[in-house]
């Protein structure tokens, strides 16, 4: 069984994959600097059902984010095989230093983006130590962690090549290319050097898209249209923010389920999904979302009982974490 965890980390990103191989991938981190008091308080509030105070469909789970390190420990995970940084923006690096201190990381993926160090004197509460640790790891100066520069089309052992020559962990990078990285470096706009990864497991096609913007999707539709068409699960780019972009790629992807991160509701691209009749779940509604892939089914579980109750037709089954089911998707083949 493979399991994907889409964590509620406020206005940031964090995804954890437990692969069939037993290896663990982590894509980005945010809220890793939550204090023990903040994390404990959030857990108690959510457990008591007190988080859902927004009304009018606003379940307010964004106010009670999860600390990724504690979440991993709760799953019994003691090390991370690969940490994938989609791109070097601080909302994808928040807590990286603490993570490196608390859990061994075997491999670190980056695209070679050459972003200047931000000015932390007035930078939204992000920590300079996270940036400095990122640079150290990226430059392959972290003992015990191997830095790997991975670009579109890269094939290598364990990522997408197994010991037996099979698919490995099923991670296929389709962006960025070297040109997208070079353009991002020259424009100092790093969304279009973000990773887009197709993850294949159990007959499902899952797309992790970081903060990828229009140039990335132009490249993908020109070179990988059939690979991304009719996907099962999409992690919405840029947390689902509208971002003044084209959403035409959705007409090709046609995701059966999309997961949105956290942003102010007026900034989210709800209309792009609604007018296409595409189903979506947000962290603000569901809290953490867990997807178990087993026996050609993708079972969808959510942390927030109140949201599950509003969407569920009577199935009260739960996963090992106590999250309630929303149902499942069946593999197409």
């Amino acid at each position: 069984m493979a399991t994907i965890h889409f964590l509620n980390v406020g206005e940031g990103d964090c995804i954890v994959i437990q692969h069939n191989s037993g290896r663990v991938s982590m894509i980005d981190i945010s809220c890793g600097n939550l204090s023990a008091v903040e994390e404990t308080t959030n857990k108690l509030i959510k457990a008591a059902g007190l988080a859902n105070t927004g009304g009018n469909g606003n379940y307010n789970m964004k106010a009670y984010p999860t600390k990724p390190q504690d979440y991993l420990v709760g799953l019994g995970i003691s090390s991370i095989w690969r940490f994938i940084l989609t791109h070097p923006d601080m909302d994808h690096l928040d807590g990286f230093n603490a993570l490196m201190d608390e859990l061994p990381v075997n491999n670190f993926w980056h695209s070679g983006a050459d972003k200047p160090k931000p000015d932390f004197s007035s930078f939204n509460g992000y920590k300079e130590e996270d940036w400095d640790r990122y640079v150290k790891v990226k430059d392959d100066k972290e003992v015990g962690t191997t830095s790997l520069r991975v670009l579109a089309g890269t094939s290598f052992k364990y990522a997408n090549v197994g010991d037996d020559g099979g698919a490995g962990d099923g991670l296929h990078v389709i962006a960025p290319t070297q040109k997208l990285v070079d353009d991002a470096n020259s424009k100092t706009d790093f969304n279009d050097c973000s990773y887009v990864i197709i993850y294949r497991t159990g007959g499902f096609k899952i797309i992790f898209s970081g903060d990828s913007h229009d140039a990335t999707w132009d490249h993908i539709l020109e070179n990988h249209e059939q690979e991304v068409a009719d996907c099962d699960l999409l992690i919405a780019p840029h947390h689902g923010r509208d971002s003044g972009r084209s959403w035409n790629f959705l007409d090709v992807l046609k995701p059966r389920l999309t997961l949105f991160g956290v942003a102010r509701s007026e900034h989210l691209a709800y209309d792009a999904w609604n007018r296409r009749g595409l189903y979506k779940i947000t962290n603000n509604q569901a809290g953490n979302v867990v997807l178990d892939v087993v026996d050609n089914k993708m079972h969808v579980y959510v942390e927030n009982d109140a949201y599950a109750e509003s969407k569920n037709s009577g199935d009260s089954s739960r996963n090992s974490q106590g999250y309630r089911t929303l149902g499942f998707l069946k593999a197409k083949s």
Side-chain angles (χ1 to χ4, degrees):
M1 181 176 73
T3 303
I4 302 106
H5 306 260
F6 182 62
L7 300 190
N8 171 32
V9 288
E11 296 195 20
D13 269 5
C14 187
I15 298 159
V16 176
I17 309 169
Q18 294 174 281
H19 296 278
N20 294 320
S21 64
R23 288 181 286 268
V24 173
S25 294
M26 187 172 187
I27 305 176
D28 295 328
I29 185 171
S30 192
C31 282
N33 288 313
L34 279 179
S35 71
V37 171
E38 289 171 323
E39 173 67 348
T40 300
T41 300
N42 287 352
K43 286 180 179 178
L44 291 172
I45 288 171
K46 289 187 285 190
L50 301 176
N52 313 312
T53 57
N56 299 319
N58 176 12
Y59 289 87
N60 202 38
M61 295 298 286
K62 65 183 179 183
Y64 306 98
T66 294
K67 184 175 181 178
Q69 301 98 298
D70 289 356
Y71 186 90
L72 291 170
V73 171
L75 292 173
I77 294 172
S78 57
S79 65
I80 298 166
W81 175 257
R82 63 177 68 84
F83 183 96
I84 303 171
L85 179 67
T86 58
H87 65 300
D89 283 349
M90 288 308 299
D91 57 337
H92 298 251
L93 275 169
D94 181 30
F96 183 69
N97 182 62
L99 176 74
M100 294 297 298
D101 283 345
E102 294 173 40
L103 292 168
V105 175
N106 295 86
N107 301 285
F108 176 81
W109 288 18
H110 68 95
S111 66
D114 189 21
K115 182 174 180 176
K117 183 175 183 175
D119 177 7
F120 285 90
S121 62
S122 58
F123 196 48
N124 297 326
Y126 292 121
K127 293 190 174 183
E128 188 172 6
E129 64 195 38
D130 289 326
W131 179 268
D132 291 342
R133 192 66 170 272
Y134 149 67
V135 172
K136 179 182 178 182
V137 175
K138 174 176 175 281
D139 291 347
D140 211 14
K141 296 178 181 178
E142 180 79 28
V143 176
T145 303
T146 301
S147 179
L148 299 168
R149 185 163 183 254
V150 179
L151 292 174
T154 305
S155 295
F156 59 103
K157 195 170 183 178
Y158 303 129
N160 44 43
V161 179
D163 287 319
D164 58 357
D169 284 338
L171 297 169
H172 303 272
V173 177
I174 57 173
T177 61
Q178 184 61 58
K179 183 178 186 307
L180 285 167
V181 174
D182 290 343
D183 288 348
N185 288 338
S186 65
K187 296 174 183 176
T188 65
D189 182 350
F190 293 91
N191 287 337
D192 271 327
C193 70
S194 182
Y195 279 125
V196 177
I197 299 171
I198 301 175
Y199 174 43
R200 296 182 180 274
T201 184
F204 291 93
K205 184 194 302 185
I206 298 161
I207 300 178
F208 305 114
S209 56
D211 280 3
S212 51
H213 205 68
D214 290 346
T216 297
W217 286 98
D218 287 346
H219 158 75
I220 290 171
L221 294 184
E222 183 176 347
N223 296 279
H224 303 282
E225 181 173 347
Q226 290 307 307
E227 294 168 66
V228 299
D230 301 312
C231 67
D232 298 290
L233 173 67
L234 171 68
I235 308 299
H238 209 188
H239 324 281
R241 288 192 182 98
D242 190 287
S243 305
R245 63 174 306 147
S246 169
W247 293 104
N248 290 338
F249 66 89
L250 291 174
D251 295 326
V252 174
L253 270 63
K254 299 176 184 174
R256 298 165 72 191
L257 171 63
T258 302
L259 301 181
F260 277 34
V262 167
R264 293 180 65 87
S265 59
E266 64 266 28
H267 297 157
L268 289 172
Y270 291 130
D271 185 56
W273 271 257
N274 291 342
R275 69 174 180 264
R276 292 174 171 87
L278 300 172
Y279 187 71
K280 60 191 178 301
I281 302 171
T282 74
N283 280 140
N284 189 48
Q285 296 168 319
N288 301 323
V289 181
V290 177
L291 306 115
D292 282 337
V293 179
V294 59
D295 296 334
N296 294 315
K297 291 180 180 178
M298 181 188 290
H299 299 267
V300 183
Y301 298 93
V302 298
E303 179 185 24
N304 184 358
D305 258 16
Y307 177 70
E309 181 70 27
S310 74
K311 297 294 181 182
N312 207 289
S313 58
D315 187 349
S316 60
S317 59
R318 297 178 184 272
N319 71 357
S320 59
Q321 296 165 270
Y323 292 3
R324 185 167 169 178
T325 185
L326 286 183
F328 63 85
L329 298 177
K330 191 171 183 180
K332 297 172 187 174
S333 58

